[in-house]
Amino acid sequence: QTVPDVTETHRALGHPEAFGIACGDIMFDHLGLFPDYEEGVSRMGLPFFQVAGNHDLDQDRPTDEGSSDTFQRHFGPRYYSFDRGAVHYVVLDDVFWHGAGYLGYLGSDQLRWLENDLRLVEAGRPVIVAAHIPVLGSRHVREGREHPSAGISVANRRTLYRLLEPYRAHILTGHTHENEHVFEAGTHEHVNGAVCGAWWSGPICGDGTPGGYSVYEIRGEEVTWRYKSTGLGFDHQLRVYPRGADPAAPDEIVANVWDWDPAWTVAWYEDGERKGEMARRVGTDPLSEKIHRGDDLPPRRTWVDPYPTGHLFYAPVSPGAREIRVEATDRFGRVYSGTPDALGS
């Protein structure tokens, strides 16, 4: 689904000069499939830069050294940088393999290299860093824990933040199969949803984000972005559930606005009248609950469960309202709307 969708998105945008970045886990531990991946990417007709993920490693290696040999034979260095227009791009390998698993960590070789690399970049310029494991993410906050887990965050992230401090830094990551924005130490981290959703087991990720990818548009030093759901248009930016879809909120509608960040506004209307802004609460997506919850679900990946997410919005709608509509306005002034759909649509 992804290859023709990316091709059509590029065409619909007017064939701008473009390239792709795959933020890791381009395999699922089957490194013999790299040639098939390369063939698929070539059909998109765009240059693609690759990031090493934890499922792209030679897991028979006892240490991190040599664990990305196969990846490097296909794609070149595991960390590097390049410039396009006014933006400096950096690709990092933040997956540290220790023989029995991995953790998020940037080795001293990368950090020394990055420090030297950034010395050539003027302060104040946009710098976009692509990596696999989220540098921070907010899963731990949503799950009520004080600190992030070692496998879904970068342990020595403070050093990275210090190096990026002089720049307008965006960090693009993946790994966790959910979509969110995290603002920390002057950086804006985009944890991007996955094209495979919840590991090819349905149309959505565990947080309710549709399977898809993010599209970033650069004009001079201005960076804008939108999430693109595979097979759907850019106007598909929220899903609205009817009253009672969340059993804990029987009198409220729920809207999942997966690309939300604090600069968005989300409001609800009853019979054409604006009633106010919806309340954001941590919860689980009702559709994800339906198709992912339970020992036998989803059929192909029974270990997938709904994730608590921070981009759900609630409103206590009037029982007698004939028409309910949710309107979300992103940080760039683009407006999206949706009406309650039956659960599962």
Side-chain angles (χ1 to χ4, degrees):
Q1 303 97 322
T2 305
V3 169
D5 195 272
V6 170
T7 303
E8 173 57 24
T9 296
H10 187 217
R11 185 204 64 76
L13 290 173
H15 297 285
E17 182 179 349
F19 61 89
I21 300 177
C23 283
D25 283 359
I26 53 183
M27 294 293 98
F28 194 27
D29 301 330
H30 302 297
L31 305 192
L33 296 177
F34 272 129
D36 299 85
Y37 169 78
E38 292 171 307
E39 180 184 349
V41 168
S42 69
R43 294 205 308 270
M44 296 187 204
L46 298 174
F48 250 79
F49 297 91
Q50 316 299 334
V51 176
N54 54 289
H55 288 295
D56 307 321
L57 303 181
D58 297 278
Q59 297 185 7
D60 57 344
R61 302 301 170 91
T63 65
D64 192 57
E65 185 177 2
S67 64
S68 59
D69 281 355
T70 301
F71 176 91
Q72 291 187 77
R73 281 200 301 273
H74 284 275
F75 305 119
R78 60 192 180 91
Y79 57 91
Y80 52 93
S81 69
F82 58 96
D83 290 293
R84 284 290 182 93
V87 178
H88 185 66
Y89 295 85
V90 177
V91 170
L92 296 177
D93 173 10
D94 65 357
V95 183
F96 187 87
W97 179 254
H98 55 72
Y102 64 90
L103 53 86
Y105 185 81
L106 292 165
S108 59
D109 57 337
Q110 286 190 80
L111 292 172
R112 284 194 301 268
W113 168 84
L114 180 60
E115 184 173 19
N116 290 327
D117 178 76
L118 291 176
R119 282 176 178 158
L120 303 176
V121 182
E122 300 89 343
R125 275 182 62 186
V127 172
I128 294 180
V129 177
H132 178 60
I133 294 176
V135 174
L136 179 58
S138 72
R139 178 80 67 86
H140 63 293
V141 176
R142 290 176 270 126
E143 292 180 344
R145 292 181 286 110
E146 186 175 355
H147 301 291
S149 301
I152 58 172
S153 65
V154 174
N156 55 345
R157 57 187 170 274
R158 291 296 166 190
T159 304
L160 177 62
Y161 290 150
R162 178 180 59 80
L163 294 175
L164 294 175
E165 195 173 52
Y167 308 100
R168 288 185 283 145
H170 294 266
I171 303 173
L172 317 183
T173 57
H175 186 54
T176 52
H177 297 250
E178 60 186 337
N179 205 71
E180 67 166 336
H181 296 265
V182 177
F183 299 84
E184 183 73 14
T187 68
H188 180 171
E189 179 170 12
H190 307 245
V191 182
N192 294 277
V195 296
C196 68
W199 293 267
W200 304 116
S201 60
I204 60 173
C205 301
D207 68 337
T209 300
Y213 51 93
S214 298
V215 176
Y216 297 84
E217 297 182 69
I218 317 294
R219 290 179 172 82
E221 295 191 350
E222 181 187 7
V223 182
T224 61
W225 57 89
R226 288 179 290 181
Y227 191 79
K228 175 65 172 66
S229 303
T230 306
L232 297 166
F234 277 117
D235 59 340
H236 185 65
Q237 297 292 338
L238 68 160
R239 186 184 309 110
V240 185
Y241 297 103
R243 295 172 80 246
D246 181 348
D251 298 322
E252 296 180 284
I253 61 168
V254 185
N256 191 334
V257 187
W258 41 81
D259 209 23
W260 175 89
D261 69 54
W264 286 57
T265 59
V266 182
W268 93 96
Y269 292 73
E270 295 183 9
D271 299 327
E273 179 184 354
R274 190 180 194 274
K275 305 299 288 187
E277 293 192 15
M278 300 177 72
R280 187 172 68 93
R281 299 205 293 267
V282 173
T284 53
D285 178 80
L287 179 56
S288 181
E289 284 285 347
K290 178 181 179 181
I291 65 177
H292 294 151
R293 179 73 71 187
D295 295 338
D296 299 326
L297 295 173
R300 295 187 67 243
R301 307 280 190 238
T302 55
W303 37 266
V304 172
D305 275 321
Y307 305 152
T309 179
H311 46 68
L312 294 182
F313 293 81
Y314 291 77
V317 299
S318 304
R322 296 182 301 278
E323 181 186 66
I324 302 295
R325 180 170 58 87
V326 173
E327 187 174 278
T329 305
D330 71 13
R331 62 164 52 228
F332 307 111
R334 298 175 299 216
V335 180
Y336 313 98
S337 65
T339 57
D341 292 325
L343 186 60
S345 63

